[in-house]
Amino acid sequence: MILEPMGSHMENFDGLIKTLEGMIEHRKKKPTVPSSLAFYESQLEYYKEIRYAHDQGKLFVLHSAFAPAEIFFAMGLVPAHASFSLGAMAQVLKKQPECLEAAHRYGLPWETCGAHRLVVGAALLGFTPHVDLCVSYHFGCTSAATSVVNVAKLYDLPIFYLQLPYGYREYDIRSYVRQLELLIAWLEKQTGRKMDWDRLKEAVKIEKQIYEYEREIEELRGCVPSPVKHRSFMEQYQTDMMMPGTPTGLHYYKTVRDEVKDFAERGIHPLGPNHKERYRVISCFMPPNWCRSLMDWMEEEHGISSVAEPHMNEWSAWLADRIDPDKPLESLAVKYQSHLIVRQLCSPLLINQLPDTLKHIEKRKADGAIYYASVTCNTSPHLLTCLKNALEKEKVPLLILDNDVLDPAYASESEMRERVDAFVEIMDVYKEKRATEKG
Amino acid sequence: MTSSKNQQEMETLAEIREINASFPYNKYVKEWKEGGKKVIGWVCNYTPEELIYAAGLLPVRVMGGFEEFPLDKANAYFYPTSCSTMRSCFQIALDHRYDFLDGFVMGSPCEHARRFYDIWTYWMKTPFYYPVGLLFIYGDESVRHYHDGLLDFKSKLEEFYGVKITDDALREAIRLYNRTRELLRELDDLRKSDHPPISGAEAMEIMNACLATPKEQFNKILEKLLEEAKSTRRNWEDKEIRLMFSGSMWNNYNFLKFIEDQGCLIVVNEICTGLRYWSHLVEVGSAPLEALAHRYITRFPCNHFYPWEQRMDRMVETAKAYHVDGVVNNLVRYCVALGFMRPLIKERFAKDGIPCYDLEQMYGARGSGQVKTRIQAFLEMIGFSKEGQEALFTQGG
């Protein structure tokens, strides 16, 4: 086993920070939309917090996706989302092959999700600063939870295992609240610090404001042309996961809301008044993280806007009454249970995923849907035949874009572009069919 | 059929094979249906069969094929990397062989099984569906949550089928299922001896029948089988190496026979269609739902349960109790839970000096030349190691 001490290759983490600084400089020289700059600046701040956590006497928590980071922030801990820290580093520095190779030599078979294998590989190679605590979270994705367990076992780190029960029932929420209480007790014991409940309430208050911005953004997304850049949903998704309940997250969401409102009021697309929106698509699940340029290309080359992402960002309308700063744990429990991607993974298709997808067709005037099927993902691609069938009944074509979310070796950008080219023709045929039927 | 020279097979196995030959709609299920009663298909060992049975319904496990067959129809409904076990189950459903089911219940921690549930509910016309929720963390909170889930499931069954599930009916069901577990344990205990009365493949045949047959009838067959087993002394002279078969769900006994034909005997099937099904009894006390919750959450866990040490320690204890020389850890494609745990399982066995061999294959595979070579190499390695130990012993080392 190749097990390097954590932090033995900090040049990688520094490389990530340097790359982000370069991207910010580039954005400043060639501005696009304000939210894009806000996104990269918030990312830089996030990674710098991790990099210098120990210098500032702070403890560093590695956690799975959708672990309630508000709790870590409220306790003065520095959280690091495993995929968006270790995985992102491998991706930004193009070190996926080394990390995957390390994970393979350790014994993880191809059956395990590539994105999370990358986390274990990057940890084996000592890419991250020394982790103090691990919080593993199972929200319907075994890979997200067990990759962090592997990191904890490899380095003999204290770990807490949190789990969102499968289903969508009130007793599941009650159980999750009790688990959050156990998590806090564990963190208090491990760190010797007490939970700052006022700070947690403040975080939930911020979450409520973010929720309100998010609802406003969603309301505006029915506008034609789309007031939202195609790739913007990925940035929102990432911010929501990495810095929930923080002033930085709030600033980012406010910037997005202002920007979207401005474009909607002026009736123009973020790419400018001359941009022609030709197709409006529903994006299902997560596009390859290494290839956001594909979304830019779709937008610029074919005029494809993403008008809904039913498995990524949208917050449930009913959350308005349930996020209450005076009940922070209950609020976090319902927030995380109802998060789109979580509820798609952790509840039955007929209860959430299908209605969540179909409801957008008419409201957002969708011409088609793109299903990003990450080949080693054990959760997202398995229902695509059901969705394809349901969309077909609504006369909406579906493109299944096979890819690996973090590894470009499986499907290249040019291969994916070719498939999108062909799909555009299919959407034209469907458009004609729908127009003929309408008479 | 399992056969090997110098072996005397038990006669009761013929009854088992008769049940399996008409899987899944065997004569006992047919009789049940002809009596005007309903049958519920279930997926995963965390489905509380006792509760279903106490409602006057027959729970039968939805399983894939017992042999290798093409999955051409099912493949059209799944993604290429979907679990091959679930695809096999669905292939049988698409062939209308599960049409007799009146309900479908999934009680699984596995995301592939959950997606299978979704696919089933979308495409099949089974009248009743229910997903049993569970936390797969050892501890009081999981027991409490599972208990809440049982209350919910109970009310859904009562509402849909217009029945009342009484505590007495539940206790009766618990006694019946406990009896099955006791008999299976007794039978398996005989496999700890130097001359096990059944092979690993035969044990799997017995479990396949068990999971698809009403327990009243199956317990009688088991009692007969046990009596016969106690008086049977099998000669396994060409199979000196004792193995534990571990890993993902598996039903193809021919594959176990294929492994055993390479010169070993599988003495314990540490899988969910083996020892993990019958381990731990439910306490027959005053609060049957609580007793059920406790049993289902705290028994021998599957690969999903955390902390992993709970599972790994019991795996090692089991391997020692059955005096195995090695472990075959069989990962069914695309089982992610086992995938992430595998390096640590191997390491855990290594600490106790038990060699553990990792296999990966599609569910239901009957064995290939490549697998044969790999198994032979593993057995040779164990053989060398055993010879080395004997040499040390005879030399007084």
Side-chain angles (χ1 to χ4, degrees):
Chain A
M1 192 191 309
I2 16 79
L3 182 62
E4 301 212 19
M6 281 189 160
S8 57
H9 289 288
M10 287 314 294
E11 69 274 14
N12 291 306
F13 213 94
D14 292 336
L16 174 70
I17 287 171
K18 207 173 164 189
T19 305
L20 274 169
E21 285 170 342
M23 286 162 99
I24 289 167
E25 282 309 303
H26 176 75
R27 277 281 174 272
K28 282 180 178 167
K29 279 181 199 156
K30 292 189 173 177
T32 55
V33 287
S35 63
S36 183
L37 183 61
F39 171 72
Y40 286 112
E41 284 176 341
S42 67
Q43 293 285 302
L44 181 62
E45 189 183 312
Y46 180 84
Y47 289 115
K48 278 186 167 173
E49 274 288 309
I50 298 170
R51 175 67 178 87
Y52 302 110
H54 289 154
D55 296 344
Q56 294 166 2
K58 292 181 179 172
L59 295 173
F60 168 36
V61 184
L62 188 76
H63 65 87
S64 311
F66 299 108
E70 293 91 339
I71 289 176
F72 309 136
F73 286 123
M75 289 190 74
L77 304 168
V78 176
H81 180 294
S83 297
F84 281 123
S85 53
L86 286 162
M89 214 178 335
Q91 174 205 321
V92 170
L93 304 172
K94 301 199 187 317
K95 296 204 172 184
Q96 292 106 320
E98 289 97 314
C99 293
L100 292 172
E101 169 67 16
H104 176 71
R105 276 188 284 156
Y106 167 58
L108 296 184
W110 188 85
E111 276 74 9
T112 54
C113 166
H116 297 97
R117 226 182 312 143
L118 210 56
V119 166
V120 179
L124 282 161
L125 296 178
F127 277 16
T128 180
H130 185 77
V131 174
D132 299 299
L133 303 167
C134 291
V135 174
S136 172
Y137 179 37
H138 200 301
F139 57 95
C141 171
T142 297
S143 301
T146 54
S147 52
V148 172
V149 175
N150 268 280
V151 174
K153 299 286 173 204
L154 280 165
Y155 289 98
D156 196 21
L157 301 168
I159 178 167
F160 188 89
Y161 196 97
L162 185 68
Q163 194 186 117
L164 186 71
Y166 180 83
Y168 209 59
R169 299 165 273 215
E170 281 298 321
Y171 70 86
D172 295 323
I173 295 179
R174 290 197 300 272
S175 172
Y176 191 58
V177 170
R178 292 192 295 267
Q179 287 186 67
L180 292 181
E181 287 165 355
L182 293 172
L183 168 66
I184 291 169
W186 181 82
L187 286 170
E188 286 181 339
K189 193 178 167 195
Q190 293 293 329
T191 62
R193 296 175 192 180
K194 285 284 167 199
M195 163 58 83
D196 184 336
W197 288 99
D198 288 338
R199 217 167 148 185
L200 187 62
K201 284 177 186 175
E202 184 57 30
V204 173
K205 199 171 158 190
I206 289 176
E207 280 293 271
K208 198 170 170 73
Q209 287 174 274
I210 290 178
Y211 161 77
E212 280 157 11
Y213 288 144
E214 208 281 335
R215 293 301 304 169
E216 277 188 70
I217 296 164
E218 285 301 319
E219 281 302 310
L220 293 167
R221 298 194 68 190
C223 296
V224 180
S226 168
V228 178
K229 249 178 89 61
H230 193 131
R231 68 148 70 187
S232 177
F233 72 91
M234 280 299 285
E235 294 171 356
Q236 287 179 45
Y237 172 74
Q238 201 165 327
T239 306
D240 184 26
M241 278 215 283
M242 294 165 79
M243 46 201 89
T246 62
T248 311
L250 181 67
H251 169 70
Y252 167 77
Y253 267 92
K254 183 180 180 303
T255 309
V256 176
R257 193 280 311 263
D258 292 348
E259 172 186 305
V260 171
K261 200 174 167 195
D262 177 50
F263 286 126
E265 282 170 358
R266 291 195 285 146
I268 61 168
H269 189 275
L271 289 193
N274 297 326
H275 176 77
K276 192 165 164 39
E277 178 181 273
R278 292 194 290 274
Y279 307 97
R280 296 168 65 85
V281 298
I282 297 171
S283 304
C284 303
F285 285 103
M286 197 192 293
N289 214 25
W290 53 271
C291 188
R292 296 192 184 180
S293 52
L294 177 73
M295 287 174 274
D296 296 340
W297 172 82
M298 280 197 265
E299 195 166 44
E300 288 159 18
E301 178 74 18
H302 290 297
I304 299 174
S305 296
S306 178
V307 293
E309 301 82 29
H311 315 116
M312 298 285 283
N313 287 325
E314 188 189 341
W315 293 40
S316 302
W318 58 266
L319 271 177
D321 302 326
R322 308 250 345 223
I323 299 188
D324 177 358
D326 288 329
K327 294 179 183 167
L329 297 187
E330 289 81 351
S331 302
L332 292 179
V334 290
K335 179 208 152 180
Y336 282 101
Q337 193 205 32
S338 70
H339 194 288
L340 268 183
I341 199 162
V342 173
R343 74 178 188 226
Q344 311 311 354
L345 302 185
C346 220
S347 69
L349 167 80
L350 297 180
I351 293 178
N352 281 318
Q353 190 172 138
L354 208 55
D356 280 349
T357 309
L358 298 182
K359 75 177 182 190
H360 287 300
I361 294 171
E362 198 151 327
K363 211 172 161 191
R364 302 278 167 90
K365 304 167 194 73
D367 300 306
I370 298 177
Y371 201 117
Y372 293 97
S374 184
V375 66
T376 55
C377 175
N378 287 274
T379 51
S380 58
H382 304 293
L383 296 178
L384 54 83
T385 54
C386 303
L387 272 185
K388 192 175 176 70
N389 181 270
L391 288 165
E392 192 65 41
K393 284 181 190 163
E394 303 293 327
K395 298 187 174 51
V396 175
L398 175 74
L399 168 66
I400 298 164
L401 215 46
D402 302 290
N403 70 90
D404 187 299
V405 73
L406 280 176
D407 184 7
Y410 183 78
S412 68
E413 183 170 352
S414 57
E415 280 174 270
M416 288 189 279
R417 284 187 183 194
E418 274 180 29
R419 301 198 56 201
V420 172
D421 284 338
F423 183 59
V424 161
E425 291 175 22
I426 294 170
M427 283 197 285
D428 285 337
V429 172
Y430 273 74
K431 268 187 175 182
E432 274 178 37
K433 213 179 346 181
R434 283 197 297 269
T436 312
E437 281 175 14
K438 275 186 184 170
Chain B
M1 298 281 280
T2 54
S3 63
S4 187
K5 63 176 183 175
N6 298 325
Q7 287 189 24
Q8 179 204 337
E9 257 184 19
M10 293 189 293
E11 285 172 11
T12 318
L13 280 174
E15 283 185 55
I16 296 290
R17 287 176 184 141
E18 192 193 334
I19 293 171
N20 288 341
S22 53
F23 164 80
Y25 199 49
N26 63 50
K27 65 177 182 181
Y28 298 108
V29 178
K30 198 165 173 245
E31 273 171 25
W32 182 278
K33 288 283 284 190
E34 284 169 355
K37 292 187 280 184
K38 310 278 189 200
V39 181
I40 304 290
W42 57 272
V43 176
C44 188
N45 278 356
Y46 293 95
T47 307
E49 284 183 275
E50 294 90 336
L51 192 55
I52 298 170
Y53 185 84
L57 308 161
L58 173 65
V60 295
R61 184 166 188 153
V62 172
M63 291 182 276
F66 300 162
E67 54 195 21
E68 189 172 324
F69 56 75
L71 304 178
D72 47 350
K73 287 183 196 166
N75 285 343
Y77 293 82
F78 287 80
Y79 195 64
T81 52
S82 299
C83 168
S84 49
T85 308
M86 298 301 120
R87 270 187 276 165
S88 181
C89 294
F90 205 59
Q91 176 76 27
I92 293 174
L94 291 169
D95 284 336
H96 301 287
R97 289 166 61 200
Y98 280 126
D99 284 358
F100 64 91
L101 293 180
D102 302 291
F104 184 76
V105 176
M106 182 277 302
S108 180
C110 166
E111 49 252 55
H112 286 279
R114 291 168 176 182
R115 290 321 195 196
F116 173 52
Y117 172 82
D118 288 333
I119 288 169
W120 188 295
T121 53
Y122 187 82
W123 297 102
M124 293 288 152
K125 305 289 177 210
T126 316
F128 174 79
Y129 305 107
Y130 189 83
V132 177
L134 83 152
L135 293 173
F136 28 103
I137 305 171
Y138 261 84
D140 296 342
E141 178 50 38
S142 299
V143 175
R144 185 173 173 184
H145 173 264
Y146 192 77
H147 179 258
D148 286 347
L150 289 179
L151 286 170
D152 185 65
F153 184 32
K154 180 173 174 278
S155 71
K156 295 291 187 301
L157 283 171
E158 289 177 333
E159 191 185 322
F160 190 85
Y161 290 104
V163 293
K164 177 80 188 146
I165 303 174
T166 64
D167 276 3
D168 284 344
L170 252 177
R171 281 187 206 101
E172 194 45 47
I174 289 170
R175 274 189 207 101
L176 182 70
Y177 278 78
N178 271 353
R179 178 68 183 145
T180 309
R181 293 181 187 118
E182 278 169 346
L183 290 166
L184 288 167
R185 184 188 52 75
E186 278 188 58
L187 185 64
D188 245 48
D189 274 350
L190 299 174
R191 297 171 71 190
K192 292 173 182 168
S193 74
D194 289 342
H195 299 277
I198 52 172
S199 66
E202 289 162 353
M204 185 165 279
E205 288 182 86
I206 293 165
M207 280 308 300
N208 286 349
C210 172
L211 294 165
T213 307
K215 296 294 179 275
E216 296 96 326
Q217 283 97 342
F218 198 74
N219 285 353
K220 287 177 192 151
I221 298 171
L222 269 179
E223 280 162 7
K224 210 164 119 187
L225 196 66
L226 190 61
E227 277 313 301
E228 195 186 345
K230 283 176 182 168
S231 58
T232 300
R233 186 181 165 88
R234 300 279 285 273
N235 184 359
W236 306 101
E237 64 183 16
D238 57 340
K239 298 177 188 302
E240 285 179 5
I241 294 172
R242 298 166 65 91
L243 290 186
M244 175 158 111
F245 185 76
S246 190
S248 319
M249 181 188 174
W250 195 264
N251 300 94
N252 186 350
Y253 53 86
N254 281 311
F255 179 70
L256 269 68
K257 179 181 180 307
F258 170 84
I259 294 178
E260 290 176 322
D261 283 347
Q262 310 314 315
C264 62
L265 188 68
I266 292 169
V267 293
V268 53
N269 304 4
E270 190 278 298
I271 51 176
C272 66
T273 47
L275 174 146
R276 294 210 305 263
Y277 174 78
W278 53 258
S279 82
H280 291 65
L281 301 181
V282 183
E283 275 185 33
V284 191
S286 54
L289 280 185
E290 282 172 22
L292 276 179
H294 190 263
R295 185 264 168 184
Y296 275 86
I297 297 298
T298 59
R299 59 156 177 193
F300 201 128
C302 77
N303 293 308
H304 286 270
F305 263 72
Y306 186 83
W308 292 350
E309 285 73 13
Q310 284 282 352
R311 168 157 173 68
M312 295 193 293
D313 289 348
R314 293 192 208 196
M315 286 174 86
V316 173
E317 281 167 24
T318 304
K320 287 179 178 171
Y322 285 79
H323 318 295
V324 307
D325 302 304
V327 179
V328 169
N329 199 9
N330 188 42
L331 181 145
V332 167
R333 295 215 154 102
Y334 295 86
C335 179
V336 64
L338 180 55
F340 270 108
M341 198 177 177
R342 217 167 64 163
L344 297 166
I345 292 177
K346 207 179 177 83
E347 193 179 277
R348 179 69 185 79
F349 275 117
K351 270 186 193 162
D352 279 80
I354 301 169
C356 175
Y357 193 72
D358 292 335
L359 272 185
E360 316 75 33
Q361 13 175 28
M362 300 300 273
Y363 169 83
R366 68 182 147 206
S368 62
Q370 190 198 43
V371 173
K372 188 176 180 174
T373 308
R374 291 174 67 187
I375 293 290
Q376 285 172 345
F378 180 55
L379 296 179
E380 259 182 52
M381 188 195 82
I382 293 174
F384 287 144
S385 164
K386 281 183 86 163
E387 278 171 25
Q389 281 168 8
E390 276 167 29
L392 279 174
F393 182 73
T394 50
Q395 288 162 18

